[in-house]
Amino acid sequence: MTDERLAYLALTQVSGMGPARLTILLSNFETALGAHSAPFERLRTLPGFSGAFVSELKATPLDAGRQLVESAERIGASILVPADADFPAALRSIPDPPPVLFLVGNQSLLERPAVAVVGSRDHTAYGGEVCRLIAREAAWAGAVVVSGMARGLDAAAHAAALDAGGGTIGVLGNGLGVVYPAANRALYDRVAARGLLLSEFPPGERPHAGSFPRRNRLISGLARVTVVVEAAIGSGALITAGTALDQGREVMAVPGPITSPVSVGTNRLIRDGAAPYLEPVDLLQYFADAAPLDRKNREDTAACVALPETLSADERRVAIRLGAECVHVDELAAQVGGPMGSVLAVLCALEIAGIAEQLPGRHFRRAAPLDGFR
């Protein structure tokens, strides 16, 4: 780790340091080390550099960069800055680009075309069904599904993309290592293991009121298209739609009942010019260059589409092995590597949830899917 990189990282941690001020510093001093060591009086001559801000800068030691690297290493996170070749190109040119990114997971997903799928935390059954359908079809078409790791439709989009065998990127409104909301811990672990978690906030930083609107510009910035599934007036999903428009990205919205509070926002988006999402081809036309999953992969993953995000890890492990063909409980127990009694208990819970169906002779299969997920 060079001193120049550590100095740059230290500058990003100065309270009040945004992309504009960082650009001014680097354009005046050429290097982060030069900016960090510049005299107080010289810094005060820069536009927008108040005495209070310069005092904050001078009080931030070079070691702050080293501490940032160490905190990332402790949780297995990588750090990217705009000077890095693998910094996501989609985020370089957006208004207010992130000066630093922290990542855990599969960074190659940043190189693939992506769609943002966002919506209400308190969604309807219709919204949940459509969200899972959109994420599944996008994943099968080879697009990465981006969302904000919130409860509700964000969580449904991430889970459906993974269940369909595709990739997903979770953009956090807090630092890596903090699971928020706590109910999404299982999803957090799944995305870290099979997708990518991304944040511009330092590891361990708790969420605050302003962090989620800032996160939203990264969600839309990573994606070619932002699809809003359900959104009440004032919803964060509408903020994401606004940032997408500011970035010159496409916005689509799912129409809903005019009597539904969570469809007011999406219906107004359509009224004001957003393209309606009526069927998969409406979205997939933007991803003709993506590499779709092969037919076998689609068939192998079809049985686990639309699994509720509320399933426990054990329930999900069993559910993804259930398909249209019957399978004996002995075989299921062998596949998941668990005791027979535990597997039967999980199957009973899945049967109650309408996910599994029991047939004579202790055989099980996936229950018939909902319309729209066949």
Side-chain angles (χ1 to χ4, degrees):
M1 184 69 62
T2 65
D3 286 346
E4 175 64 15
R5 189 175 182 88
L6 292 176
Y8 177 88
L9 292 175
L11 290 176
T12 68
Q13 301 310 295
V14 177
S15 178
M17 180 70 76
R21 280 174 166 163
L22 197 54
T23 299
I24 291 172
L25 276 174
L26 296 179
S27 62
N28 276 269
F29 298 101
E30 296 186 358
T31 67
L33 272 171
H36 189 272
S37 60
F40 184 97
E41 294 76 14
R42 175 70 178 91
L43 291 168
R44 278 289 284 118
T45 66
L46 301 178
F49 280 57
S50 66
F53 174 71
V54 174
S55 294
E56 285 282 349
L57 192 160
K58 299 304 293 182
T60 303
L62 188 64
D63 198 52
R66 182 172 286 102
Q67 291 172 4
L68 196 62
V69 171
E70 291 172 352
S71 65
E73 290 176 344
R74 279 195 294 271
I75 60 172
S78 301
I79 300 177
L80 291 180
V81 300
D84 295 331
D86 46 356
F87 188 90
L91 296 182
R92 292 183 187 276
S93 58
I94 66 171
D96 193 18
V100 60
L101 292 173
F102 303 91
L103 312 98
V104 168
N106 181 7
Q107 292 186 36
S108 70
L109 295 177
L110 294 170
E111 302 169 6
R112 291 168 47 188
V115 55
V117 182
V118 296
S120 175
R121 288 172 171 81
D122 300 310
H123 60 85
T124 66
Y126 162 76
E129 183 177 0
V130 173
C131 180
R132 289 186 288 269
L133 171 62
I134 293 171
R136 179 197 71 178
E137 293 292 342
W140 279 358
V144 174
V145 174
V146 183
S147 200
M149 291 295 291
R151 65 180 176 84
L153 293 181
D154 283 19
H158 290 303
L162 292 175
D163 289 342
T168 191
I169 298 174
V171 184
L172 305 182
N174 48 262
L176 291 169
V178 175
V179 179
Y180 183 87
N184 277 357
R185 174 166 292 280
L187 179 63
Y188 186 103
D189 292 341
R190 286 189 76 203
V191 176
R194 295 179 49 203
L196 177 68
L197 291 171
L198 176 151
S199 176
E200 65 178 320
F201 301 103
E205 182 165 316
R206 301 291 304 176
H208 52 81
S211 62
F212 295 106
R214 287 193 61 75
R215 171 205 62 184
N216 292 347
R217 82 192 197 288
L218 301 187
I219 295 173
S220 60
L222 287 167
R224 290 182 184 179
V225 185
T226 292
V227 183
V228 185
V229 180
E230 285 184 327
I233 296 301
S235 166
L238 295 181
I239 296 175
T240 307
T243 60
L245 293 172
D246 291 342
Q247 295 161 352
R249 308 294 203 261
E250 297 290 337
V251 174
M252 304 186 75
V254 175
I258 62 173
T259 55
S260 172
V262 291
S263 287
V264 173
T266 50
N267 289 340
R268 288 186 181 180
L269 283 173
I270 294 169
R271 180 196 63 190
D272 295 339
Y277 179 99
L278 302 178
E279 55 183 325
V281 70
D282 296 332
L283 173 63
L284 300 185
Q285 63 179 315
Y286 296 102
F287 297 96
D289 60 329
L293 300 186
D294 61 63
R295 181 174 296 277
K296 183 179 186 307
N297 199 343
R298 289 177 58 148
E299 290 172 351
D300 288 346
T301 60
C304 62
V305 171
L307 291 177
E309 57 267 25
T310 53
L311 290 185
S312 69
D314 287 340
E315 289 168 344
R316 185 173 293 277
R317 247 192 319 271
V318 173
I320 62 175
R321 288 169 170 79
L322 294 175
E325 299 297 322
C326 298
V327 58
H328 194 271
V329 66
D330 289 342
E331 185 178 343
L332 283 172
Q335 289 178 9
V336 301
M340 178 74 66
S342 297
V343 174
L344 280 172
V346 169
L347 285 166
C348 180
L350 293 174
E351 193 173 2
I352 293 171
I355 295 170
E357 179 182 1
Q358 183 172 184
L359 290 90
R362 296 212 293 185
H363 287 81
F364 293 83
R365 66 184 179 192
R366 182 76 184 272
L370 296 171
D371 290 342
F373 290 91
R374 295 180 185 277

